[in-house]
Amino acid sequence: MTKPELLAPAGDLEKLKMAITYGADAVYLGGESFGLRKGAKNFSLEEIDEGIKFAHSRGKKVYVTLNIIPHNEDLVGLEEYVENLYNLQVDGVIVSDPGVFSVIRRTVPNLPIHLSTQTSITNFETIMFWYNLGIKRIVLARELSLNEIKEIIDKAPKDLEIETFVHGSMCISYSGRCLLSNYMTGRDANRGDCAHPCRWKYYLMEEKRPGEYFPVYEDEKGTFIMNSKDLCMIEYIPNLIKTGIKSFKIEGRVKSSYYVATVVRSYRMAIDAYFKDPENYTFNQDWLDEIKKASYRDFTTGFYFGKPTGDDQVYASSSYIRGYDYVGLILDYDEESGIATIEQRNRMFQGDTIEIFGPRRKHFTQIIEKMWDEEGKEIDVAPHPQQIIRMKMVEPVEPWYMIRKNREDGING
């Protein structure tokens, strides 16, 4: 068996560096045009160049999304853009449209092209159609079971790579091909600007009774009738590996750096543990518990073990569950004094209990006994965004370690 690639989202340069530091083999990102995540900060060409250099120096890869379903005006500048990406030595681009595919093959024929899940590929014949055109990696539709994926992989040419999503938000529409956002808000989901109307709360109003709203119930649990749970397959790593999937993809380019680090870290640990000793591998509940310390909806296995049922929806609320806040990033550590330099990300108070974790170690807990600002003045609270503070650590730490603390309410709407 070949160890699968762990592929992480990168919504900006910090998230790219965080994903790779915490164990991703590759990242995917969007540029300022041609991608499907306007909500992410996205990358200028200069930032893509920096990200590629950071990744390649560590033996990792970078893929760029060009997966919009374009109108004529959306194609303007594509040739120049893909030439720039090729010159920056990007490891591949992700496309969904045959026209975009044709432009890339004509302009930079040696640039590897991956086929996006937006193409809704669910069968072997469609795979062979694209393979014969030169595609060497395909991101399958989310609507396939493990058995269907295995059948495709068993039939496919050995040099064709299959990639599937293993974690993250699920779209209510088939492979993300949704028109609701465009119809209701004028924001085109297939051009990167989805308003997520599937997460809204709906009521029924009769035409001749304006202002009289009746709740729409899927059942007695609530009214969020299209709100899917999040995909999470970390408990089934052996099943995914034995199927022959080449790349395990995590969704979340608009999620936080903390989310990316936390999720990537757990999947990295699970994959490495399996390959260290496949015969004696057992799932470690800590991996899932750690993921739950980032924001999430309740989890589902999607279509992997059969079609979703009512249990795969969240009817009561569209809010994320968020039990922890990301409060600080370790920038530096002095071994002699045991004092860390920290960039604040959320308020911290003297007396708070915090958890510190890094990419290659279990978290540890300590109480904030003292903090100092940049001038060395002792402070009892760090209230300012990205404020630089110093704090004594009870155990050694390294740059890129993260600090979190438990929230009292546990829910963030």
Side-chain angles (χ1 to χ4, degrees):
M1 290 182 293
T2 303
K3 185 179 284 192
E5 171 187 85
L6 181 57
L7 177 57
D12 58 32
L13 198 54
E14 181 186 86
K15 294 171 190 176
L16 179 151
K17 294 178 180 180
M18 197 71 74
I20 288 172
T21 299
Y22 276 77
D25 299 304
V27 296
Y28 63 100
L29 58 89
E32 294 175 332
S33 303
F34 312 112
L36 273 181
R37 287 294 182 272
K38 285 187 180 179
K41 291 183 179 178
N42 294 322
F43 287 70
S44 66
L45 285 172
E46 292 75 19
E47 289 170 327
I48 292 174
D49 184 31
E50 182 178 343
I52 289 172
K53 288 175 179 174
F54 182 91
H56 287 181
S57 68
R58 291 157 177 79
K60 312 300 182 182
K61 295 182 178 181
V62 174
Y63 310 128
V64 174
T65 59
L66 306 174
N67 57 344
I68 59 169
I69 299 176
H71 294 235
N72 289 329
E73 63 267 24
D74 296 319
L75 294 172
V76 175
L78 179 58
E79 292 95 336
E80 180 183 1
Y81 188 69
V82 295
E83 284 180 343
N84 286 329
L85 293 179
Y86 182 73
N87 291 332
L88 293 177
Q89 300 183 337
V90 69
D91 297 286
V93 292
I94 305 169
V95 308
S96 62
D97 180 73
V100 173
F101 169 80
S102 298
V103 170
I104 296 170
R105 288 301 300 270
R106 182 174 68 244
T107 307
V108 279
N110 293 324
L111 179 61
I113 302 175
H114 302 175
L115 210 60
S116 170
T117 191
Q118 301 295 123
T119 52
S120 309
I121 292 181
T122 57
N123 67 80
F124 172 72
E125 290 296 337
T126 306
I127 277 177
M128 290 309 300
F129 170 83
W130 283 104
Y131 177 80
N132 290 329
L133 289 175
I135 289 285
K136 293 300 173 65
R137 180 183 287 198
I138 291 175
V139 190
L140 293 180
R142 286 181 173 93
E143 296 78 21
L144 288 174
S145 69
L146 270 176
N147 289 337
E148 290 175 304
I149 295 169
K150 188 175 190 312
E151 182 179 357
I152 286 171
I153 291 172
D154 288 346
K155 287 183 176 181
K158 299 305 178 188
D159 62 339
L160 177 68
E161 298 177 348
I162 294 298
E163 177 181 312
T164 67
F165 281 92
V166 299
H167 194 93
S169 297
M170 293 285 282
C171 182
I172 196 67
S173 297
Y174 204 87
S175 292
R177 289 172 170 262
C178 182
L179 299 177
L180 267 181
S181 178
N182 205 340
Y183 179 76
M184 299 180 77
T185 70
R187 290 170 52 180
D188 193 338
N190 295 308
R191 297 166 84 182
D193 201 21
C194 185
H196 303 288
C198 58
R199 309 292 183 190
W200 298 353
K201 189 173 186 177
Y202 290 91
Y203 291 90
L204 177 69
M205 186 182 74
E206 198 275 327
E207 180 182 9
K208 295 181 180 180
R209 294 173 174 82
E212 293 186 33
Y213 299 103
F214 301 91
V216 181
Y217 291 112
E218 178 82 8
D219 61 15
E220 69 280 359
K221 295 179 182 177
T223 61
F224 293 85
I225 57 175
M226 294 184 287
N227 187 43
S228 174
K229 294 181 178 180
D230 285 355
L231 179 66
C232 180
M233 288 293 290
I234 195 166
E235 295 179 78
Y236 305 97
I237 292 296
N239 307 66
L240 295 168
I241 291 170
K242 291 173 184 177
T243 302
I245 300 165
K246 168 66 177 178
S247 182
F248 294 175
K249 190 170 193 173
I250 296 168
E251 182 275 339
R253 277 190 284 147
V254 297
K255 301 288 181 65
S256 68
S257 297
Y258 171 65
Y259 174 92
V260 171
T262 304
V263 174
V264 167
R265 175 173 172 260
S266 284
Y267 276 88
R268 177 78 279 151
M269 290 177 175
I271 293 168
D272 289 350
Y274 179 83
F275 276 88
K276 184 177 182 180
D277 189 358
E279 296 299 321
N280 297 303
Y281 172 86
T282 56
F283 176 71
N284 187 335
Q285 183 63 35
D286 285 348
W287 301 330
L288 181 57
D289 291 343
E290 285 292 299
I291 286 176
K292 289 181 177 180
K293 291 179 179 179
S295 62
Y296 70 100
R297 297 181 182 93
D298 286 330
F299 290 133
T300 174
T301 56
F303 288 79
Y304 277 109
F305 299 109
K307 292 182 179 179
T309 68
D311 290 336
D312 296 280
Q313 302 296 110
V314 185
Y315 299 114
S317 170
S318 62
S319 299
Y320 282 97
I321 301 167
R322 183 172 157 189
Y324 284 76
D325 278 333
Y326 168 36
V327 296
L329 176 67
I330 305 291
L331 302 179
D332 197 11
Y333 177 69
D334 181 73
E335 292 186 9
E336 185 174 343
S337 66
I339 292 176
T341 303
I342 299 161
E343 184 179 273
Q344 184 260 37
R345 295 303 176 92
N346 270 296
R347 288 196 302 172
M348 289 180 278
F349 294 85
Q350 190 176 12
D352 279 349
T353 298
I354 56 173
E355 292 182 1
I356 299 94
F357 69 96
R360 293 172 295 276
R361 60 159 298 163
K362 185 176 174 62
H363 73 268
F364 65 91
T365 301
Q366 72 174 62
I367 294 174
I368 301 177
E369 295 183 351
K370 288 185 179 181
M371 290 185 291
W372 299 271
D373 64 17
E374 280 191 278
E375 285 73 42
K377 180 183 176 182
E378 187 172 340
I379 54 177
D380 58 9
V381 59
H384 307 301
Q386 296 185 296
Q387 178 180 2
I388 303 301
I389 63 171
R390 291 181 175 83
M391 183 191 308
K392 189 172 181 63
M393 296 282 113
V394 298
E395 294 187 22
V397 294
E398 298 177 15
W400 295 102
Y401 278 30
M402 306 179 90
I403 304 173
R404 64 191 173 209
K405 70 174 183 177
N406 206 336
R407 292 165 57 97
E408 290 184 3
D409 59 1
I411 297 289
N412 179 48

